[in-house]
Amino acid sequence: MTQEIEEAVKKALDETKPRNFTQSIDVVIAINDLDTNKPENRLDEEVLLPNGRGKDIKVAFIAEGELAYQAEQAGADLVIGKERLEELGKNRPEAKKLANSYNFFVAQADLMPTVGRFLGPVLGPRQKMPKPIPASADPNVILGRMRSTIKIRVKDQPIIQTIVGSEDMTEVQIAENIDAIMDVLDRNLEKGSKQVKSMYVKTTMGPVTKVI
């Protein structure tokens, strides 16, 4: 299927009009024979894209001490300490603004109870609860992985829509990223990628192009 994906991506890139920003490339996948009323059929998986997302994402670290310092040095977009957590817990509008401004959150494991208490009510509904990490973790590794990671979800409808790259990437790179998603579907669906009913790719502002 890789060739078909490459051809569809090329067509989507060729047909999109130039914009004054770098457009994302999205894939939309519809799945056959998947009863989403059954909890076991709902997907919530992370996919490491081999060629990255193509656009920067914002990662916030919740940490103290040495880990907070290392996260700052590694280029984390925000580092939140325990005192700031408590302040956010008393300011719901500010906490919501923070939750909407960052793509991923990670937290020092021993701070997770505090995170749950003060930020859980705003991060939970947005599916952004932090990943717990040990105080000895290497922020460089974590940031590198998160900046190449997407989430694919199937909840109420058997449809997946997610970013797979940006228009300044090649069609080969984007196709390889889509293949990574297909590998996850192969592992998680009863009939694997054979259950894919249809697939489309599109740029942010461009027309939809059918793959299958």
Side-chain angles (χ1 to χ4, degrees), residues 5-17 23-26 167 171 174 200-211:
I5 295 172
E6 285 181 25
E7 290 172 354
V9 171
K10 186 178 187 305
K11 184 179 178 182
L13 291 171
D14 288 344
E15 293 183 353
T16 194
K17 295 179 181 178
Q23 297 185 73
S24 297
I25 308 291
D26 284 358
E167 64 178 337
E171 55 263 30
I174 296 166
Y200 297 85
V201 292
K202 69 181 297 293
T203 58
T204 306
M205 305 291 286
V208 173
T209 301
K210 187 172 184 178
V211 181

Side-chain angles (χ1 to χ4, degrees), residues 93-149:
E94 185 68 21
K96 286 182 177 179
K97 183 179 177 182
L98 179 79
N100 291 331
S101 297
Y102 293 85
N103 303 92
F104 290 102
F105 292 78
V106 291
Q108 193 169 308
D110 58 1
L111 292 177
M112 282 298 292
T114 308
V115 173
R117 178 182 174 189
F118 293 118
L119 285 184
V122 295
L123 294 181
R126 292 166 174 79
Q127 303 291 318
K128 290 184 179 181
M129 280 300 287
K131 284 181 169 297
I133 59 172
S136 59
D138 183 346
N140 286 289
V141 174
I142 292 166
L143 285 169
R145 184 175 180 85
M146 287 198 150
R147 287 174 174 155
S148 295
T149 296

Side-chain angles (χ1 to χ4, degrees), residues 4-126:
E4 291 93 332
I5 295 172
E6 285 181 25
E7 290 172 354
V9 171
K10 186 178 187 305
K11 184 179 178 182
L13 291 171
D14 288 344
E15 293 183 353
T16 194
K17 295 179 181 178
R19 305 286 174 176
N20 59 359
F21 65 95
T22 302
Q23 297 185 73
S24 297
I25 308 291
D26 284 358
V27 67
V28 183
I29 300 170
I31 302 170
N32 264 328
D33 304 322
L34 192 69
D35 184 358
T36 55
N37 291 316
K38 296 180 178 179
E40 64 269 23
N41 287 337
R42 296 172 189 167
L43 287 178
D44 188 358
E45 296 286 330
E46 290 189 350
V47 183
L48 183 63
L49 300 179
N51 299 304
R53 297 164 59 108
K55 297 187 80 172
D56 288 339
I57 62 162
K58 298 179 77 174
V59 181
F61 264 73
I62 301 170
E64 298 237 285
E66 182 64 20
L67 182 58
Y69 171 77
Q70 289 185 7
E72 288 178 355
Q73 296 300 304
D77 298 285
L78 179 70
V79 179
I80 304 170
K82 188 174 183 180
E83 186 176 330
R84 177 61 175 150
L85 271 180
E86 294 173 357
E87 291 173 359
L88 289 167
K90 298 171 186 175
N91 189 335
R92 183 60 65 87
E94 185 68 21
K96 286 182 177 179
K97 183 179 177 182
L98 179 79
N100 291 331
S101 297
Y102 293 85
N103 303 92
F104 290 102
F105 292 78
V106 291
Q108 193 169 308
D110 58 1
L111 292 177
M112 282 298 292
T114 308
V115 173
R117 178 182 174 189
F118 293 118
L119 285 184
V122 295
L123 294 181
R126 292 166 174 79

